[in-house]
Amino acid sequence: MAPPSSEIHVAVDLTVLTLRDGALNVLLIQREDDPHRGAWALPGGFIQHGEDLEAAAYRVLSDEASLGSGAVHLEQVRTFGAPGRDPRGHVVSVSFMALGANLPDPLRGDDVADARWWALEDLGDVPLAFDHAEVLASSIERARSKLEYTTLAVTFLPEEFTVSQLRGVYESVWGTTLDAGNFHRKATRSEGFLEELDRHAAPLEELDRHAAPTGGRPARLYRAGQGTSLMPPLLRAGD
Amino acid sequence: MAPPSSEIHVAVDLTVLTLRDGALNVLLIQREDDPHRGAWALPGGFIQHGEDLEAAAYRVLSDEASLGSGAVHLEQVRTFGAPGRDPRGHVVSVSFMALGANLPDPLRGDDVADARWWALEDLGDVPLAFDHAEVLASSIERARSKLEYTTLAVTFLPEEFTVSQLRGVYESVWGTTLDAGNFHRKATRSEGFLEELDRHAAPLEELDRHAAPTGGRPARLYRAGQGTSLMPPLLRAGD
DNA sequence: GCAATAGTGTCTTTAAGACATTATCTT
DNA sequence: AAGATAATGTCTTAAAGACACTATTGC
Protein backbone atom coordinates (compact mmCIF):
# COMPACT_ATOMS: atom_id res chain seq x y z
CA MET A 1 0.00 0.00 0.00
CA ALA A 2 2.83 2.39 0.75
CA PRO A 3 4.19 3.81 -2.48
CA PRO A 4 7.82 3.13 -3.36
CA SER A 5 10.07 5.92 -2.27
CA SER A 6 11.97 6.46 -5.50
CA GLU A 7 9.13 8.18 -7.29
CA ILE A 8 7.20 11.35 -6.66
CA HIS A 9 3.57 10.68 -5.82
CA VAL A 10 0.63 12.99 -6.16
CA ALA A 11 -2.19 13.14 -3.65
CA VAL A 12 -5.17 15.30 -2.81
CA ASP A 13 -6.09 16.44 0.69
CA LEU A 14 -9.51 17.81 1.53
CA THR A 15 -10.57 20.41 4.05
CA VAL A 16 -14.30 19.78 4.31
CA LEU A 17 -16.04 22.55 6.20
CA THR A 18 -19.60 22.91 7.40
CA LEU A 19 -21.52 24.62 10.17
CA ARG A 20 -22.87 22.57 13.04
CA ASP A 21 -24.71 24.24 15.89
CA GLY A 22 -23.44 27.60 14.77
CA ALA A 23 -19.78 26.61 14.83
CA LEU A 24 -17.37 25.97 12.00
CA ASN A 25 -16.54 22.27 11.77
CA VAL A 26 -13.98 20.33 9.80
CA LEU A 27 -14.14 16.67 8.88
CA LEU A 28 -11.19 14.63 10.12
CA ILE A 29 -10.42 10.94 9.85
CA GLN A 30 -8.41 8.93 12.32
CA ARG A 31 -5.65 6.96 10.61
CA GLU A 32 -5.70 3.21 10.99
CA ASP A 33 -2.24 2.61 9.55
CA ASP A 34 1.24 4.01 9.81
CA PRO A 35 2.55 6.55 9.33
CA HIS A 36 0.81 8.58 12.01
CA ARG A 37 -1.40 5.65 13.02
CA GLY A 38 -4.09 6.86 15.37
CA ALA A 39 -3.56 10.51 14.55
CA TRP A 40 -6.31 12.68 13.11
CA ALA A 41 -5.84 13.79 9.54
CA LEU A 42 -7.59 15.45 6.65
CA PRO A 43 -9.26 13.01 4.29
CA GLY A 44 -7.10 12.42 1.24
CA GLY A 45 -5.72 9.93 -1.16
CA PHE A 46 -3.33 9.33 -4.00
CA ILE A 47 -4.22 10.33 -7.52
CA GLN A 48 -4.65 7.46 -9.92
CA HIS A 49 -2.91 7.48 -13.25
CA GLY A 50 -5.03 9.37 -15.74
CA GLU A 51 -7.29 10.80 -13.07
CA ASP A 52 -8.08 14.49 -12.93
CA LEU A 53 -7.32 16.39 -9.73
CA GLU A 54 -10.92 17.43 -9.16
CA ALA A 55 -12.13 13.91 -9.92
CA ALA A 56 -9.77 12.56 -7.30
CA ALA A 57 -11.05 15.11 -4.81
CA TYR A 58 -14.64 14.07 -5.47
CA ARG A 59 -13.65 10.42 -5.16
CA VAL A 60 -12.11 11.06 -1.73
CA LEU A 61 -15.18 13.04 -0.77
CA SER A 62 -17.33 10.08 -1.65
CA ASP A 63 -15.09 7.37 -0.17
CA GLU A 64 -14.01 8.99 3.04
CA ALA A 65 -16.72 11.51 3.71
CA SER A 66 -19.78 9.80 2.23
CA LEU A 67 -20.60 12.99 0.39
CA GLY A 68 -22.00 13.28 -3.10
CA SER A 69 -20.68 15.85 -5.52
CA GLY A 70 -23.85 17.90 -5.66
CA ALA A 71 -23.74 18.85 -2.04
CA VAL A 72 -20.54 20.87 -1.85
CA HIS A 73 -18.57 23.73 -3.30
CA LEU A 74 -15.12 22.37 -4.16
CA GLU A 75 -12.16 24.64 -4.76
CA GLN A 76 -8.45 24.11 -5.09
CA VAL A 77 -6.41 25.96 -2.49
CA ARG A 78 -2.70 25.24 -2.55
CA THR A 79 -0.20 22.48 -3.24
CA PHE A 80 2.21 21.19 -0.62
CA GLY A 81 5.38 19.49 -1.72
CA ALA A 82 8.08 19.75 0.93
CA PRO A 83 10.22 16.64 0.53
CA GLY A 84 9.94 15.55 4.17
CA ARG A 85 6.22 16.03 4.62
CA ASP A 86 5.42 12.32 4.24
CA PRO A 87 7.78 9.69 5.65
CA ARG A 88 6.77 7.22 2.96
CA GLY A 89 8.52 9.25 0.29
CA HIS A 90 8.12 12.34 -1.80
CA VAL A 91 4.42 13.13 -1.89
CA VAL A 92 3.10 16.28 -3.53
CA SER A 93 -0.38 17.00 -2.26
CA VAL A 94 -2.92 19.29 -3.90
CA SER A 95 -5.20 20.68 -1.22
CA PHE A 96 -8.87 21.41 -1.80
CA MET A 97 -11.51 22.95 0.37
CA ALA A 98 -15.09 21.72 0.25
CA LEU A 99 -17.93 23.77 1.73
CA GLY A 100 -21.40 22.46 2.31
CA ALA A 101 -24.62 22.89 4.24
CA ASN A 102 -25.73 20.50 6.97
CA LEU A 103 -23.33 17.80 5.89
CA PRO A 104 -24.11 14.41 7.38
CA ASP A 105 -22.03 12.45 9.84
CA PRO A 106 -19.45 10.47 7.88
CA LEU A 107 -19.51 6.73 7.55
CA ARG A 108 -16.30 4.96 8.36
CA GLY A 109 -14.37 4.23 5.15
CA ASP A 110 -11.47 1.91 4.40
CA ASP A 111 -8.17 2.39 6.19
CA VAL A 112 -9.96 4.65 8.62
CA ALA A 113 -10.31 3.95 12.32
CA ASP A 114 -12.80 6.73 12.89
CA ALA A 115 -14.22 9.76 11.14
CA ARG A 116 -16.06 12.68 12.62
CA TRP A 117 -16.71 16.40 12.63
CA TRP A 118 -14.52 18.58 14.81
CA ALA A 119 -15.47 22.07 15.89
CA LEU A 120 -12.51 24.22 14.98
CA GLU A 121 -12.29 25.56 18.51
CA ASP A 122 -11.92 22.08 19.94
CA LEU A 123 -8.97 21.38 17.71
CA GLY A 124 -6.49 23.59 19.49
CA ASP A 125 -4.49 20.84 21.17
CA VAL A 126 -5.14 18.00 18.74
CA PRO A 127 -1.98 17.25 16.77
CA LEU A 128 -2.73 16.51 13.14
CA ALA A 129 -0.88 14.04 10.96
CA PHE A 130 1.71 15.11 8.38
CA ASP A 131 1.61 18.87 7.69
CA HIS A 132 -2.17 18.87 7.86
CA ALA A 133 -2.29 21.64 10.46
CA GLU A 134 -0.79 23.97 7.89
CA VAL A 135 -2.96 22.59 5.09
CA LEU A 136 -6.04 23.12 7.22
CA ALA A 137 -4.99 26.62 8.23
CA SER A 138 -4.51 27.70 4.63
CA SER A 139 -7.97 26.48 3.66
CA ILE A 140 -9.57 28.18 6.64
CA GLU A 141 -7.90 31.43 5.74
CA ARG A 142 -9.02 31.03 2.15
CA ALA A 143 -12.60 30.47 3.24
CA ARG A 144 -12.49 33.45 5.58
CA SER A 145 -11.14 35.80 2.98
CA LYS A 146 -13.46 34.60 0.22
CA LEU A 147 -16.47 35.45 2.36
CA GLU A 148 -15.34 39.05 2.01
CA TYR A 149 -15.47 39.47 -1.72
CA THR A 150 -17.61 36.58 -2.96
CA THR A 151 -21.08 35.20 -2.28
CA LEU A 152 -19.54 31.96 -1.03
CA ALA A 153 -21.23 32.19 2.37
CA VAL A 154 -24.46 30.84 0.89
CA THR A 155 -22.79 27.46 0.28
CA PHE A 156 -22.91 26.92 4.05
CA LEU A 157 -26.70 27.27 4.01
CA PRO A 158 -29.64 25.26 2.69
CA GLU A 159 -31.36 26.45 -0.45
CA GLU A 160 -33.72 28.73 1.44
CA PHE A 161 -32.46 30.77 4.34
CA THR A 162 -32.91 33.98 6.29
CA VAL A 163 -30.63 36.99 6.53
CA SER A 164 -29.97 36.05 10.15
CA GLN A 165 -28.73 32.66 9.11
CA LEU A 166 -26.48 34.27 6.53
CA ARG A 167 -25.13 36.61 9.16
CA GLY A 168 -24.56 33.58 11.36
CA VAL A 169 -22.32 32.11 8.66
CA TYR A 170 -20.13 35.20 8.68
CA GLU A 171 -20.04 35.31 12.45
CA SER A 172 -19.16 31.64 12.76
CA VAL A 173 -16.50 31.59 10.09
CA TRP A 174 -14.93 34.88 11.12
CA GLY A 175 -15.40 34.40 14.83
CA THR A 176 -16.87 37.87 15.21
CA THR A 177 -20.22 39.45 15.80
CA LEU A 178 -21.76 41.76 13.23
CA ASP A 179 -24.35 44.47 13.62
CA ALA A 180 -27.65 42.91 12.57
CA GLY A 181 -29.09 46.02 10.99
CA ASN A 182 -26.02 47.00 9.01
CA PHE A 183 -25.55 43.44 7.84
CA HIS A 184 -29.14 43.28 6.69
CA ARG A 185 -28.68 46.44 4.64
CA LYS A 186 -25.45 45.23 3.07
CA ALA A 187 -26.73 41.74 2.28
CA THR A 188 -30.05 42.74 0.79
CA ARG A 189 -28.63 45.62 -1.25
CA SER A 190 -25.62 43.81 -2.71
CA GLU A 191 -26.59 43.07 -6.27
CA GLY A 192 -26.74 39.38 -7.07
CA PHE A 193 -26.21 38.21 -3.50
CA LEU A 194 -29.76 37.35 -2.47
CA GLU A 195 -33.01 36.62 -4.22
CA GLU A 196 -36.03 37.53 -2.14
CA LEU A 197 -38.79 34.96 -1.78
CA ASP A 198 -42.34 35.89 -0.88
CA ARG A 199 -42.44 33.58 2.07
CA HIS A 200 -41.33 33.76 5.67
CA ALA A 201 -39.60 31.28 7.88
CA ALA A 202 -41.95 29.47 10.20
CA PRO A 203 -41.17 30.84 13.65
CA LEU A 204 -39.56 28.39 16.03
CA GLU A 205 -38.86 26.00 13.19
CA GLU A 206 -35.61 27.38 11.88
CA LEU A 207 -33.17 24.58 11.42
CA ASP A 208 -29.96 26.19 12.54
CA ARG A 209 -31.39 27.51 15.71
CA HIS A 210 -30.98 25.76 19.01
CA ALA A 211 -31.75 28.65 21.32
CA ALA A 212 -34.87 30.45 20.18
CA PRO A 213 -37.42 29.51 22.78
CA THR A 214 -39.44 32.68 22.69
CA GLY A 215 -40.45 33.64 19.18
CA GLY A 216 -39.65 36.85 17.49
CA ARG A 217 -40.82 38.29 14.21
CA PRO A 218 -40.68 35.69 11.41
CA ALA A 219 -37.84 36.33 9.01
CA ARG A 220 -38.26 36.58 5.28
CA LEU A 221 -36.78 33.74 3.24
CA TYR A 222 -34.15 34.24 0.57
CA ARG A 223 -32.21 32.05 -1.76
CA ALA A 224 -28.81 32.57 -3.40
CA GLY A 225 -28.75 35.11 -6.23
CA GLN A 226 -26.93 34.80 -9.52
CA GLY A 227 -23.89 36.88 -8.56
CA THR A 228 -20.60 35.43 -7.40
CA SER A 229 -18.67 38.53 -6.35
CA LEU A 230 -19.50 41.18 -3.78
CA MET A 231 -18.66 44.66 -5.01
CA PRO A 232 -17.82 46.49 -2.87
CA PRO A 233 -16.73 43.66 -0.59
CA LEU A 234 -17.96 42.95 2.92
CA LEU A 235 -14.71 43.54 4.77
CA ARG A 236 -13.70 42.16 8.12
CA ALA A 237 -13.04 44.97 10.55
CA GLY A 238 -9.62 44.34 12.02
CA ASP A 239 -7.74 42.76 9.19
CA MET B 1 14.22 12.75 -21.72
CA ALA B 2 10.51 12.15 -22.04
CA PRO B 3 9.18 10.60 -18.85
CA PRO B 4 7.60 7.17 -19.09
CA SER B 5 3.88 7.34 -19.41
CA SER B 6 2.90 4.90 -16.69
CA GLU B 7 3.73 7.23 -13.82
CA ILE B 8 2.43 10.60 -12.76
CA HIS B 9 5.05 13.30 -13.07
CA VAL B 10 5.20 16.60 -11.27
CA ALA B 11 6.38 19.79 -12.90
CA VAL B 12 6.46 23.52 -12.20
CA ASP B 13 5.51 26.19 -14.71
CA LEU B 14 6.46 29.82 -14.22
CA THR B 15 4.69 32.98 -15.24
CA VAL B 16 7.46 35.56 -14.97
CA LEU B 17 6.10 39.08 -15.21
CA THR B 18 7.83 42.41 -15.42
CA LEU B 19 7.23 45.86 -16.83
CA ARG B 20 9.06 46.96 -19.94
CA ASP B 21 8.43 50.38 -21.45
CA GLY B 22 5.31 50.73 -19.37
CA ALA B 23 3.74 47.48 -20.56
CA LEU B 24 3.24 44.19 -18.76
CA ASN B 25 5.54 41.55 -20.20
CA VAL B 26 5.77 37.81 -19.74
CA LEU B 27 8.81 35.64 -20.33
CA LEU B 28 8.26 32.84 -22.86
CA ILE B 29 10.60 30.24 -24.24
CA GLN B 30 10.36 28.65 -27.64
CA ARG B 31 10.44 24.88 -27.45
CA GLU B 32 13.23 23.09 -29.27
CA ASP B 33 11.78 19.58 -28.89
CA ASP B 34 8.48 17.82 -29.26
CA PRO B 35 5.83 17.98 -28.09
CA HIS B 36 4.88 21.42 -29.34
CA ARG B 37 8.29 21.94 -30.97
CA GLY B 38 8.62 25.53 -32.07
CA ALA B 39 5.69 26.73 -29.97
CA TRP B 40 6.07 29.35 -27.28
CA ALA B 41 5.63 28.14 -23.73
CA LEU B 42 6.04 29.18 -20.13
CA PRO B 43 9.39 28.20 -18.66
CA GLY B 44 9.06 25.08 -16.59
CA GLY B 45 10.56 21.76 -15.69
CA PHE B 46 10.05 18.51 -13.88
CA ILE B 47 10.54 18.29 -10.15
CA GLN B 48 13.44 16.16 -9.06
CA HIS B 49 13.00 13.52 -6.41
CA GLY B 50 13.39 15.13 -3.01
CA GLU B 51 13.20 18.65 -4.40
CA ASP B 52 10.89 21.23 -2.88
CA LEU B 53 8.34 22.92 -5.14
CA GLU B 54 9.72 26.39 -4.53
CA ALA B 55 13.28 25.16 -5.01
CA ALA B 56 12.30 23.73 -8.36
CA ALA B 57 10.70 27.02 -9.32
CA TYR B 58 13.87 28.91 -8.44
CA ARG B 59 15.93 26.39 -10.37
CA VAL B 60 13.82 26.94 -13.48
CA LEU B 61 14.06 30.66 -12.93
CA SER B 62 17.82 30.37 -12.90
CA ASP B 63 18.17 27.86 -15.73
CA GLU B 64 15.64 29.17 -18.19
CA ALA B 65 15.32 32.81 -17.22
CA SER B 66 18.83 33.61 -15.97
CA LEU B 67 17.28 35.17 -12.89
CA GLY B 68 18.62 34.96 -9.36
CA SER B 69 16.31 34.34 -6.44
CA GLY B 70 16.80 37.74 -4.88
CA ALA B 71 15.30 39.61 -7.76
CA VAL B 72 11.75 38.35 -7.77
CA HIS B 73 8.64 37.79 -5.74
CA LEU B 74 7.66 34.14 -6.19
CA GLU B 75 4.21 32.86 -5.35
CA GLN B 76 2.34 29.66 -6.01
CA VAL B 77 -0.84 30.16 -8.00
CA ARG B 78 -2.62 26.96 -8.97
CA THR B 79 -1.99 23.36 -9.95
CA PHE B 80 -3.04 21.92 -13.28
CA GLY B 81 -3.53 18.20 -13.60
CA ALA B 82 -5.95 17.36 -16.39
CA PRO B 83 -4.87 13.96 -17.70
CA GLY B 84 -4.58 15.04 -21.33
CA ARG B 85 -2.70 18.28 -20.84
CA ASP B 86 0.67 16.79 -21.80
CA PRO B 87 0.89 14.18 -24.58
CA ARG B 88 3.93 12.59 -22.95
CA GLY B 89 1.82 11.26 -20.08
CA HIS B 90 0.13 12.33 -16.90
CA VAL B 91 1.88 15.52 -15.78
CA VAL B 92 0.66 17.51 -12.81
CA SER B 93 2.07 21.01 -12.96
CA VAL B 94 2.26 23.47 -10.09
CA SER B 95 2.13 26.98 -11.48
CA PHE B 96 3.99 29.90 -9.94
CA MET B 97 4.06 33.55 -10.73
CA ALA B 98 7.27 35.54 -10.41
CA LEU B 99 7.22 39.33 -10.35
CA GLY B 100 10.30 41.48 -10.68
CA ALA B 101 11.62 44.90 -11.59
CA ASN B 102 13.60 45.59 -14.75
CA LEU B 103 14.31 41.93 -15.36
CA PRO B 104 17.07 41.35 -17.90
CA ASP B 105 16.76 39.75 -21.31
CA PRO B 106 17.00 35.99 -20.85
CA LEU B 107 19.93 33.93 -22.03
CA ARG B 108 19.09 30.91 -24.10
CA GLY B 109 19.01 27.80 -21.89
CA ASP B 110 19.10 24.11 -22.71
CA ASP B 111 16.31 22.58 -24.78
CA VAL B 112 15.28 26.09 -25.71
CA ALA B 113 15.31 27.47 -29.24
CA ASP B 114 14.68 31.01 -28.13
CA ALA B 115 13.61 32.98 -25.08
CA ARG B 116 12.29 36.50 -24.88
CA TRP B 117 9.90 38.92 -23.29
CA TRP B 118 6.46 39.32 -24.80
CA ALA B 119 4.23 42.29 -24.20
CA LEU B 120 0.92 40.83 -23.13
CA GLU B 121 -0.90 42.81 -25.78
CA ASP B 122 1.20 41.26 -28.54
CA LEU B 123 0.30 37.77 -27.39
CA GLY B 124 -3.28 37.78 -28.62
CA ASP B 125 -2.80 35.52 -31.60
CA VAL B 126 0.24 33.53 -30.44
CA PRO B 127 -0.80 29.97 -29.61
CA LEU B 128 0.94 28.69 -26.50
CA ALA B 129 2.05 25.12 -25.89
CA PHE B 130 0.11 22.71 -23.66
CA ASP B 131 -2.53 24.48 -21.54
CA HIS B 132 -0.19 27.38 -20.93
CA ALA B 133 -2.68 29.96 -22.15
CA GLU B 134 -4.89 29.03 -19.23
CA VAL B 135 -1.95 28.82 -16.83
CA LEU B 136 -0.81 32.27 -17.90
CA ALA B 137 -4.32 33.72 -17.63
CA SER B 138 -4.74 32.49 -14.07
CA SER B 139 -1.45 34.06 -13.01
CA ILE B 140 -2.30 37.36 -14.68
CA GLU B 141 -5.63 37.44 -12.92
CA ARG B 142 -3.93 36.62 -9.61
CA ALA B 143 -1.47 39.46 -10.09
CA ARG B 144 -4.24 41.88 -11.04
CA SER B 145 -6.35 41.04 -8.03
CA LYS B 146 -3.46 41.05 -5.58
CA LEU B 147 -2.61 44.61 -6.54
CA GLU B 148 -5.95 45.51 -5.04
CA TYR B 149 -5.47 44.33 -1.50
CA THR B 150 -1.71 43.91 -1.09
CA THR B 151 1.38 46.05 -1.55
CA LEU B 152 2.61 43.71 -4.28
CA ALA B 153 2.86 46.46 -6.88
CA VAL B 154 6.19 47.58 -5.44
CA THR B 155 7.79 44.32 -6.57
CA PHE B 156 7.55 45.64 -10.14
CA LEU B 157 9.67 48.65 -9.21
CA PRO B 158 13.30 49.25 -8.23
CA GLU B 159 14.10 49.90 -4.59
CA GLU B 160 13.49 53.62 -4.88
CA PHE B 161 10.62 54.91 -6.92
CA THR B 162 8.12 57.73 -7.29
CA VAL B 163 4.37 57.71 -6.78
CA SER B 164 3.96 58.19 -10.52
CA GLN B 165 5.93 55.06 -11.20
CA LEU B 166 3.79 53.17 -8.70
CA ARG B 167 0.69 54.45 -10.40
CA GLY B 168 2.18 53.33 -13.68
CA VAL B 169 2.38 49.79 -12.33
CA TYR B 170 -1.32 49.78 -11.54
CA GLU B 171 -2.18 51.30 -14.90
CA SER B 172 -0.04 48.83 -16.82
CA VAL B 173 -1.18 45.73 -14.99
CA TRP B 174 -4.83 46.70 -14.90
CA GLY B 175 -4.88 48.31 -18.34
CA THR B 176 -6.64 51.38 -16.98
CA THR B 177 -5.81 54.96 -16.20
CA LEU B 178 -6.09 56.28 -12.68
CA ASP B 179 -6.56 59.81 -11.41
CA ALA B 180 -3.11 61.03 -10.43
CA GLY B 181 -4.23 63.11 -7.47
CA ASN B 182 -6.53 60.52 -5.95
CA PHE B 183 -3.93 57.81 -6.41
CA HIS B 184 -1.32 59.96 -4.71
CA ARG B 185 -3.58 60.44 -1.72
CA LYS B 186 -4.42 56.75 -1.47
CA ALA B 187 -0.85 55.53 -1.88
CA THR B 188 0.79 57.96 0.52
CA ARG B 189 -1.88 57.57 3.21
CA SER B 190 -2.16 53.78 3.19
CA GLU B 191 -0.31 52.68 6.27
CA GLY B 192 2.71 50.51 5.56
CA PHE B 193 2.58 50.96 1.79
CA LEU B 194 5.26 53.59 1.25
CA GLU B 195 8.18 54.93 3.20
CA GLU B 196 9.02 58.49 2.31
CA LEU B 197 12.62 59.36 1.52
CA ASP B 198 14.00 62.86 1.84
CA ARG B 199 15.24 62.93 -1.70
CA HIS B 200 13.72 63.64 -5.06
CA ALA B 201 14.07 61.94 -8.40
CA ALA B 202 16.48 63.68 -10.70
CA PRO B 203 14.35 65.21 -13.42
CA LEU B 204 14.73 63.62 -16.84
CA GLU B 205 16.61 60.73 -15.41
CA GLU B 206 13.78 58.50 -14.34
CA LEU B 207 14.44 55.00 -15.52
CA ASP B 208 11.03 53.85 -16.54
CA ARG B 209 10.32 56.88 -18.60
CA HIS B 210 10.76 56.97 -22.31
CA ALA B 211 8.62 60.02 -23.05
CA ALA B 212 9.47 62.82 -20.66
CA PRO B 213 11.24 65.31 -22.84
CA THR B 214 10.14 68.44 -21.10
CA GLY B 215 10.74 68.32 -17.39
CA GLY B 216 8.16 68.83 -14.74
CA ARG B 217 8.40 69.10 -11.00
CA PRO B 218 10.76 66.48 -9.56
CA ALA B 219 8.93 63.72 -7.76
CA ARG B 220 9.71 62.66 -4.24
CA LEU B 221 11.32 59.26 -3.85
CA TYR B 222 9.79 56.45 -1.80
CA ARG B 223 10.66 52.90 -0.99
CA ALA B 224 8.45 49.99 -0.02
CA GLY B 225 7.02 50.13 3.50
CA GLN B 226 6.74 47.27 5.95
CA GLY B 227 3.10 46.49 5.30
CA THR B 228 1.88 43.74 3.01
CA SER B 229 -1.87 44.35 2.91
CA LEU B 230 -3.83 47.40 1.85
CA MET B 231 -6.74 48.09 4.17
CA PRO B 232 -9.05 49.29 2.79
CA PRO B 233 -8.04 47.92 -0.59
CA LEU B 234 -7.43 49.88 -3.76
CA LEU B 235 -10.27 48.50 -5.82
CA ARG B 236 -10.53 48.38 -9.57
CA ALA B 237 -13.50 50.36 -10.75
CA GLY B 238 -15.53 48.04 -12.96
CA ASP B 239 -14.96 44.67 -11.42
C1' DG C 1 -47.82 43.20 29.09
C1' DC C 2 -42.51 41.43 28.24
C1' DA C 3 -38.86 39.23 25.77
C1' DA C 4 -37.00 38.17 21.52
C1' DT C 5 -35.91 38.47 16.77
C1' DA C 6 -36.63 41.02 12.12
C1' DG C 7 -36.30 44.92 9.67
C1' DT C 8 -36.00 50.14 8.80
C1' DG C 9 -34.31 54.76 9.51
C1' DT C 10 -31.00 58.29 10.83
C1' DC C 11 -26.79 60.42 11.91
C1' DT C 12 -21.88 60.28 11.64
C1' DT C 13 -17.58 58.99 9.70
C1' DT C 14 -14.52 57.22 6.22
C1' DA C 15 -12.91 57.15 1.92
C1' DA C 16 -13.35 57.33 -2.98
C1' DG C 17 -14.32 60.20 -7.42
C1' DA C 18 -14.15 64.51 -9.84
C1' DC C 19 -11.59 68.20 -10.59
C1' DA C 20 -9.45 72.76 -9.46
C1' DT C 21 -5.25 74.79 -7.78
C1' DT C 22 -0.54 75.38 -6.55
C1' DA C 23 4.52 73.93 -6.94
C1' DT C 24 8.63 73.14 -9.47
C1' DC C 25 10.98 71.77 -13.07
C1' DT C 26 12.74 72.12 -18.72
C1' DT C 27 12.79 74.54 -22.80
C1' DA D 1 6.87 82.88 -20.80
C1' DA D 2 4.72 78.00 -22.13
C1' DG D 3 4.42 73.28 -21.20
C1' DA D 4 4.87 69.36 -18.30
C1' DT D 5 4.66 66.71 -14.26
C1' DA D 6 4.08 66.59 -8.95
C1' DA D 7 1.46 67.46 -5.08
C1' DT D 8 -2.34 69.36 -2.42
C1' DG D 9 -7.00 70.97 -1.63
C1' DT D 10 -12.07 71.05 -2.12
C1' DC D 11 -16.54 69.44 -3.02
C1' DT D 12 -19.51 65.62 -3.80
C1' DT D 13 -20.94 60.95 -3.36
C1' DA D 14 -20.89 56.09 -1.78
C1' DA D 15 -20.95 53.23 1.81
C1' DA D 16 -19.84 51.57 6.38
C1' DG D 17 -20.49 52.03 11.65
C1' DA D 18 -23.28 53.21 15.55
C1' DC D 19 -27.52 52.98 17.21
C1' DA D 20 -32.47 54.30 17.73
C1' DC D 21 -36.77 52.80 16.45
C1' DT D 22 -40.69 50.08 14.56
C1' DA D 23 -42.78 45.33 13.37
C1' DT D 24 -44.24 40.79 14.54
C1' DT D 25 -43.96 36.85 16.83
C1' DG D 26 -44.24 33.53 21.56
C1' DC D 27 -45.00 33.53 26.17
Side-chain angles (χ1 to χ4, degrees):
Chain A
M1 176 66 225
S5 66
S6 63
E7 292 287 341
I8 302 178
H9 291 267
V10 182
V12 293
D13 283 316
L14 268 68
T15 299
V16 190
L17 300 173
T18 197
L19 293 181
R20 293 169 71 87
D21 297 332
L24 187 59
N25 276 242
V26 61
L27 180 67
L28 296 182
I29 61 113
Q30 192 174 30
R31 294 181 57 80
E32 195 164 47
D33 301 313
D34 275 326
H36 299 290
R37 173 209 280 250
W40 291 91
L42 298 172
F46 290 100
I47 302 240
Q48 294 163 3
H49 187 266
E51 185 182 34
D52 190 45
L53 294 172
E54 281 215 352
Y58 279 119
R59 175 171 55 79
V60 168
L61 215 46
S62 167
D63 289 355
E64 298 196 29
S66 341
L67 295 173
S69 63
V72 300
H73 164 93
L74 185 71
E75 171 177 328
Q76 189 186 308
V77 178
R78 210 175 105 190
T79 298
F80 294 82
R85 61 182 294 277
D86 190 319
R88 290 168 295 186
H90 194 166
V91 177
V92 171
S93 180
V94 183
S95 116
F96 286 81
M97 77 175 178
L99 313 181
N102 297 319
L103 298 182
D105 279 313
L107 307 173
R108 197 161 32 252
D110 290 339
D111 306 320
V112 166
D114 198 1
R116 74 172 185 87
W117 293 105
W118 285 81
L120 228 64
E121 315 171 331
D122 301 341
L123 216 54
D125 47 351
V126 177
L128 299 189
F130 307 107
D131 54 358
H132 285 188
E134 192 189 349
V135 179
L136 171 60
S138 67
S139 287
I140 298 286
E141 179 48 36
R142 171 71 64 92
R144 284 183 172 146
S145 71
K146 286 204 84 166
L147 289 202
E148 295 189 298
Y149 57 94
T150 73
T151 60
L152 203 61
V154 299
T155 62
F156 282 108
L157 294 174
E159 188 165 353
E160 300 186 354
F161 54 86
T162 68
V163 173
S164 286
Q165 289 176 302
L166 183 63
R167 175 165 49 85
V169 172
Y170 280 88
E171 293 179 334
S172 300
V173 176
W174 286 352
T176 56
T177 59
L178 298 173
D179 181 275
N182 293 336
F183 182 86
H184 191 278
R185 175 181 61 193
K186 174 68 179 177
T188 53
R189 298 190 188 171
S190 288
E191 202 177 343
F193 199 3
L194 300 182
E195 194 174 314
E196 188 175 312
L197 302 176
D198 52 1
R199 277 170 295 124
H200 290 256
L204 289 187
E205 286 182 21
E206 297 180 29
L207 291 167
D208 283 351
R209 192 131 333 210
H210 53 295
T214 58
R217 172 174 169 179
R220 186 182 296 270
L221 284 171
Y222 294 82
R223 66 171 166 225
Q226 298 298 313
T228 58
S229 70
L230 291 180
M231 190 64 182
L234 208 168
L235 297 172
R236 287 176 277 187
D239 211 349
Chain B
M1 179 66 227
S5 66
S6 63
E7 291 286 341
I8 302 179
H9 290 266
V10 182
V12 292
D13 284 316
L14 268 69
T15 300
V16 189
L17 300 173
T18 196
L19 293 181
R20 293 168 71 86
D21 297 331
L24 187 59
N25 276 241
V26 60
L27 180 67
L28 297 182
I29 60 114
Q30 192 175 29
R31 293 181 58 80
E32 194 163 47
D33 301 313
D34 276 326
H36 297 292
R37 171 209 281 249
W40 291 90
L42 298 172
F46 289 100
I47 301 240
Q48 294 164 1
H49 186 266
E51 185 182 35
D52 189 46
L53 295 173
E54 281 216 352
Y58 279 119
R59 176 172 55 78
V60 168
L61 215 45
S62 166
D63 289 354
E64 298 198 30
S66 341
L67 296 173
S69 64
V72 299
H73 165 93
L74 186 71
E75 171 178 329
Q76 189 185 308
V77 178
R78 210 175 106 191
T79 298
F80 294 81
R85 62 181 294 278
D86 190 320
R88 290 169 295 187
H90 194 166
V91 177
V92 171
S93 178
V94 184
S95 116
F96 287 82
M97 76 174 178
L99 313 181
N102 296 317
L103 299 182
D105 279 313
L107 307 173
R108 196 159 34 250
D110 291 339
D111 307 319
V112 166
D114 199 1
R116 73 172 185 89
W117 293 105
W118 284 80
L120 228 64
E121 315 171 331
D122 300 340
L123 217 54
D125 46 351
V126 177
L128 298 189
F130 307 109
D131 54 358
H132 285 188
E134 192 189 348
V135 178
L136 171 60
S138 68
S139 288
I140 298 287
E141 179 47 37
R142 172 72 64 91
R144 285 185 172 145
S145 72
K146 286 203 85 167
L147 289 202
E148 294 190 298
Y149 57 94
T150 73
T151 60
L152 203 61
V154 299
T155 62
F156 283 107
L157 293 174
E159 188 165 352
E160 301 186 353
F161 54 85
T162 68
V163 174
S164 287
Q165 289 176 302
L166 184 63
R167 176 166 48 86
V169 173
Y170 279 88
E171 293 179 333
S172 300
V173 176
W174 286 352
T176 56
T177 58
L178 299 172
D179 181 276
N182 293 336
F183 182 87
H184 192 277
R185 175 181 61 195
K186 175 66 179 179
T188 53
R189 296 190 189 169
S190 288
E191 202 176 343
F193 198 5
L194 299 182
E195 193 174 316
E196 187 175 314
L197 303 176
D198 51 1
R199 276 171 296 126
H200 291 257
L204 291 189
E205 286 181 23
E206 297 179 30
L207 292 168
D208 282 352
R209 191 131 335 205
H210 52 295
T214 58
R217 174 174 168 177
R220 187 181 295 271
L221 284 171
Y222 294 83
R223 64 173 168 225
Q226 298 297 313
T228 57
S229 70
L230 291 180
M231 189 63 182
L234 208 168
L235 297 173
R236 285 176 279 186
D239 213 350

